[in-house]
Amino acid sequence: MTAAATGRDAVAGTVARVAAGVPGVAFLRPGLADLFRSSARTASRAAARDTPAGVRVSRASGAGPWEVDVQIVVHRDHRAVDVARVVRDAVTAALSEAAPGAQVTVTVTNAV
């Protein structure tokens, strides 16, 4: 695994942990592969996974700031816009040292 991939995976893991911990977040939006993935995954398949569901991390250039896209599903008893703002602020704060200048976008995809 390259240093860039390791850095991206570390950023994605931090983003997923922080976003999932925000009150009002039901869960991070699973991707299509996650919906079809068997619940009986082997450890090697779990380790090979690039990023957590609902999190995309990229860079436009090798030295540019990280671009982070978080897709969340919120609880119906919370205002989606408020939860999205708290997630954005929490993720930005969590990445302030590891990925300064990260551009964080939060999308609410559903409410349950």
Side-chain angles (χ1 to χ4, degrees):
M1 185 176 284
T2 66
T6 302
R8 182 187 67 234
D9 292 347
V11 169
T14 299
V15 169
R17 180 181 43 78
V18 170
V22 170
V25 174
F27 53 88
L28 299 178
R29 179 182 172 266
L32 186 59
D34 297 310
L35 295 173
F36 292 114
R37 186 172 282 133
S38 167
S39 61
R41 293 189 315 196
T42 62
S44 62
R45 284 184 68 193
R49 188 165 179 205
D50 290 63
T51 57
V55 176
R56 280 187 266 163
V57 178
S58 63
R59 278 187 164 160
S61 67
W66 287 107
E67 296 171 3
V68 179
D69 179 36
V70 186
Q71 297 180 352
I72 60 173
V73 175
V74 299
H75 289 288
R76 286 194 192 277
D77 58 345
H78 288 78
R79 286 188 50 193
V81 68
D82 294 337
V83 175
R85 286 179 183 152
V86 172
V87 169
R88 183 193 62 212
D89 294 345
V91 168
T92 301
L95 295 178
S96 64
E97 286 187 32
Q103 300 171 357
V104 180
T105 303
V106 179
T107 305
V108 176
T109 61
N110 207 347
V112 293

